[in-house]
Amino acid sequence: MLFLQLVLLVVLLPDGDSEDDFQGPVSFRIILTTSFYNPSWTQNQGSAWLDDLQTHGWDNKTGAFIYLQPWSKGNFSNEELTEVEKLFYTYSIRSPSAYHNHISQWQLEYPFQVQLLLGCDSHFGEASVGFMRIAYQGSDLMSFQNTSWRPSPKGGSRAQQVCTVFNQYHVFNEIVYKLLTDSCPQFLLGLLEAGKAYLQRQVRPEVWLSTGPSPGPGRLLLVCHISGFYPKPVWVMWMRGEQEQQGTQRGDVLPHVDGTWYLQVSLDVKAREAAGLSCLVRHSSLGGQDIILYWEKPHSMGLVFLVVIVPLVLLAGLTLWLWKKTHWRHQCTDLPSEQDPSSPGSSTYLNPTQW
Ligand SMILES: *[C@@H]1O[C@H](CO)[C@@H](O)[C@H](O)[C@H]1NC(C)=O
Ligand SMILES: *[C@@H]1O[C@H](CO)[C@@H](O)[C@H](O)[C@H]1NC(C)=O
Ligand SMILES: *[C@@H]1O[C@H](CO)[C@@H](O)[C@H](O)[C@H]1NC(C)=O
């Protein structure tokens, strides 16, 4: 009974671990990228992300959020969401004109890009207060703290001047402050709850092996493909027995359209050393049962030789032998000889006693 319980415990434990994985850090990010081409041409693009998963798009003409997952509204009501939409849209219209109006003062030159990043994080079921930052041409310009903007040290005098202007919008900044401290953490927790079944799903990878482009004469690039797994963390290694192969090269984990992941892990080896290598895959969906695929061994060429070629040669040999034997026999019957007394055909006129 105790033994059974121990077995059960061991079987159940990995599930407990994966639950913890989910409760680990998760980030929610809203990104708004504004491209300034000339005084009358500005382009806005917005999106929202839960780690690597895009949860929201944004219609830059109407300012409406686009809900990409059935659970993308989290636990917010339509009224609450409309309010955030309005705020976001107002910012996306007003802030570009602030840049256009200060082109020479802030030493800006068309074309340039400004990015707004805001979000909050969750860890073990608790969500942090949100943050907000603005970057100019990909480097930090300023960040929002408490209820006002602070220049980034790298931003120089331009950052200080932009802050001065943005800090004049007191009412707007008060609202943003509430958004970051209350709405963002609440929305994130509600989103995680609503999307729980989807976010905690476990999808087993398919694994197969192939060769990549030859790295050189007498060498092979062995490629292990791991496809369609979820969640993202996965451990893959080329092995020889228990030995991890240090030359293992891991590619980037790439997304499939269905939200699962794909990964290639390769190893450059001497062709004659490929035998006995295997690709080992560990993933939470496998419940502790690793996938191990062996590289097709060169022995198997020998096996083909044994199974197909050798019988063929033997068969040919046998045929030849039989053919020779009958041929020889004909010669014997043609040329009477006492050396073949057992031959029934020849005995009739070879055995003088019978004759
Ligand atoms: C909206 O975004 C699309 C591409 O995402 C872009 O082509 C278009 O110019 C944008 N429109 C505005 C008004 O920013
Ligand atoms: C945040 O700003 C408000 C008003 O600007 C101020 O009263 C408050 O003390 C500040 N809080 C912190 C933690 O800096
Ligand atoms: C959404 O869920 C979070 C976490 O459970 C909660 O703090 C928040 O009050 C909820 N918001 C609404 C509008 O129900």
Side-chain angles (χ1 to χ4, degrees), residues 296-336:
E296 198 188 347
K297 301 169 184 179
H299 296 165
S300 60
M301 242 345 263
L303 211 64
V304 168
F305 186 77
L306 271 178
V307 171
V308 181
I309 310 288
V310 169
L312 271 181
V313 169
L314 283 178
L315 202 70
L318 193 72
T319 315
L320 194 71
W321 180 74
L322 281 174
W323 178 81
K324 269 196 168 165
K325 200 176 162 193
T326 41
H327 193 70
W328 177 246
R329 198 179 287 163
H330 282 298
Q331 282 183 343
C332 293
T333 47
D334 291 349
L335 302 170

Side-chain angles (χ1 to χ4, degrees), residues 42-45 60-61:
T42 312
Q43 227 179 38
N44 273 316
Q45 281 179 289
N60 57 13
K61 296 202 177 57

Side-chain angles (χ1 to χ4, degrees), residues 75 80 186 189-190:
N75 63 352
E80 283 172 303
Q186 281 175 25
L189 292 180

Side-chain angles (χ1 to χ4, degrees), residues 213-234:
S214 172
R219 302 195 70 86
L220 276 179
L221 189 67
L222 310 185
V223 185
C224 185
H225 306 256
I226 305 95
S227 183
F229 57 92
Y230 187 90
K232 197 176 184 183
V234 67

Side-chain angles (χ1 to χ4, degrees), residues 87-309:
L87 199 65
F88 200 66
Y89 193 54
T90 308
Y91 176 86
S92 77
I93 301 289
R94 290 226 189 127
S95 77
S97 56
Y99 293 94
H100 283 304
N101 293 339
H102 296 88
I103 287 294
S104 56
Q105 193 191 339
W106 295 347
Q107 293 162 13
L108 308 171
E109 263 180 62
Y110 296 108
F112 62 92
Q113 232 178 30
V114 173
Q115 281 174 306
L116 172 80
L117 178 71
L118 69 107
C120 47
D121 300 302
S122 142
H123 199 17
F124 290 108
E126 303 235 357
S128 70
V129 165
F131 67 91
M132 180 160 74
R133 293 202 297 268
I134 287 180
Y136 168 75
Q137 295 291 59
S139 63
D140 279 337
L141 188 67
M142 56 199 203
S143 64
F144 197 77
Q145 276 157 29
N146 196 1
T147 55
S148 60
W149 289 97
R150 304 275 165 86
S152 152
K154 282 186 283 177
S157 63
R158 176 189 290 131
Q160 286 171 357
Q161 290 171 329
V162 180
C163 278
T164 307
V165 170
F166 275 60
N167 282 337
Q168 290 165 4
Y169 305 112
H170 292 293
V171 179
F172 187 82
N173 290 347
E174 291 286 341
I175 299 172
V176 169
Y177 175 73
K178 285 202 71 177
L179 187 79
L180 292 178
T181 46
D182 300 336
S183 311
C184 192
Q186 281 175 25
F187 183 70
L188 173 53
L189 292 180
L191 197 62
L192 288 177
E193 187 60 34
K196 196 170 179 171
Y198 183 82
L199 296 166
Q200 291 191 9
R201 75 199 196 282
Q202 294 285 333
V203 188
R204 292 173 62 96
E206 265 188 63
V207 184
W208 69 94
L209 307 179
S210 74
T211 45
S214 172
R219 302 195 70 86
L220 276 179
L221 189 67
L222 310 185
V223 185
C224 185
H225 306 256
I226 305 95
S227 183
F229 57 92
Y230 187 90
K232 197 176 184 183
V234 67
W235 190 89
V236 184
M237 190 55 78
W238 277 98
M239 311 284 291
R240 186 182 297 286
E242 300 281 297
Q243 194 76 41
E244 293 176 15
Q245 299 301 292
Q246 294 309 316
T248 298
Q249 295 279 334
R250 189 182 160 108
D252 293 326
V253 179
L254 305 172
H256 279 305
V257 261
D258 66 359
T260 63
W261 298 98
Y262 170 82
L263 172 67
Q264 271 190 17
V265 173
S266 56
L267 183 67
D268 174 356
V269 288
K270 289 187 188 132
R272 61 192 149 81
E273 287 173 8
L277 286 168
S278 59
C279 177
L280 175 64
V281 179
R282 258 176 216 152
H283 187 255
S284 52
S285 66
L286 301 172
Q289 300 256 302
D290 302 340
I291 294 181
I292 303 171
L293 281 195
Y294 283 90
W295 182 250
E296 198 188 347
K297 301 169 184 179
H299 296 165
S300 60
M301 242 345 263
L303 211 64
V304 168
F305 186 77
L306 271 178
V307 171
V308 181
I309 310 288

